């Protein structure tokens, strides 16, 4: 079984800007996420059997969702999960519609999803025992033009994420 999730994966330029913003956050003793792993999870699917994986690859693109912009300007920390993160200043309706459409699609395919509210964020460090401190203001503008189905694999070097499929967002809504 594959460990999968739908995500927004930044292009190289946006990923570099997010990595630079993450470096402006003092995470003290936390373990930083490698720049190539930066993403915003839309729907965590968990362990998916091969037949469901095949169906996910062959479909998933919500119809008529237009590209949108995320303004990443917040930094924070969740004590319970010990995660430091960056997040959008506001949650655009297009982001919420995309997330809801993908969650509904996954449920229709039989995926058992976690029952918790969607909190869009980009994890920048794990195992953080105290709140991070921003060294400077954070502003990263992310033009979201697509979404991905990603696979998570762990090895001695940590988590590795691989894009399994990318779907463009439509240019008209």
């Amino acid at each position: 079984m594959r460990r999968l999730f739908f995500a927004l994966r930044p292009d190289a330029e946006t990923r570099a800007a997010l990595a630079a913003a993450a470096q402006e956050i003092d995470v003290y003793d936390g373990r930083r996420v490698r720049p190539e792993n930066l993403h915003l999870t839309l729907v965590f699917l968990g362990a998916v059997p091969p037949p469901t994986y095949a169906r996910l690859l062959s479909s998933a693109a919500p119809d008529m969702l237009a590209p949108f912009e995320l303004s990443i300007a917040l930094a924070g920390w969740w004590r319970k999960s010990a995660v430091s993160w960056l997040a959008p200043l506001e949650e655009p309706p297009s982001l919420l519609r995309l997330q809801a459409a993908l969650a509904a699609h996954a449920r229709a395919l039989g995926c058992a999803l976690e029952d918790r509210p969607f909190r869009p964020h980009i994890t920048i460090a794990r195992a953080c025992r105290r709140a991070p401190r921003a060294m400077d203001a954070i502003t990263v503008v992310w033009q979201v033009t697509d979404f991905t189905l990603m696979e998570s694999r762990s090895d001695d070097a940590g988590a590795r994420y691989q894009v399994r499929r990318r779907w463009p967002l439509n240019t008209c809504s």
Side-chain angles (χ1 to χ4, degrees):
M1 292 214 282
R2 296 172 185 262
R3 189 172 152 94
L4 302 172
F5 58 97
F6 285 115
L8 299 180
R9 181 148 166 83
D11 59 43
E13 183 179 331
T14 305
R15 190 169 31 261
L18 289 168
Q23 289 299 316
E24 293 297 319
I25 308 298
D26 185 349
V27 296
Y28 302 106
D29 55 355
R31 190 177 67 253
R32 290 191 182 272
V33 171
R34 293 188 305 258
E36 63 270 18
N37 280 349
L38 294 174
H39 68 277
L40 189 152
T41 299
L42 295 166
V43 179
F44 180 73
L45 303 168
V48 173
T52 305
Y53 173 61
R55 289 192 307 268
L56 286 165
L57 284 176
S58 66
S59 65
D63 289 332
M64 304 309 284
L65 286 179
F68 56 92
E69 182 177 284
L70 285 177
S71 177
I72 307 298
L74 299 176
W77 172 65
W78 290 316
R79 179 187 306 263
K80 186 175 179 180
S81 61
V83 165
S84 291
W85 46 262
L86 299 175
L89 188 58
E90 295 178 1
E91 298 171 7
S94 294
L95 171 65
L96 301 177
R97 282 193 302 272
L98 175 61
Q99 189 277 334
L102 291 172
H105 179 68
R107 283 187 185 99
L109 291 177
C111 296
L113 305 182
E114 296 174 335
D115 187 28
R116 64 171 128 165
F118 176 55
R119 297 193 296 184
H121 69 281
I122 300 150
T123 299
I124 60 168
R126 299 184 186 285
C128 300
R129 290 184 288 204
R130 54 185 166 162
R133 184 181 59 160
M135 313 285 226
D136 204 352
I138 299 161
T139 305
V140 176
V141 177
W142 181 354
Q143 300 298 326
V144 177
T145 59
D146 59 18
F147 68 95
T148 60
L149 178 64
M150 299 189 67
E151 182 174 2
S152 173
R153 293 185 177 201
S154 295
D155 58 27
D156 293 339
R160 300 212 183 266
Y161 304 130
Q162 187 170 19
V163 173
R164 292 299 176 195
R165 180 150 179 210
R166 182 179 304 271
W167 289 269
L169 294 173
N170 297 318
T171 54
C172 53
S173 59

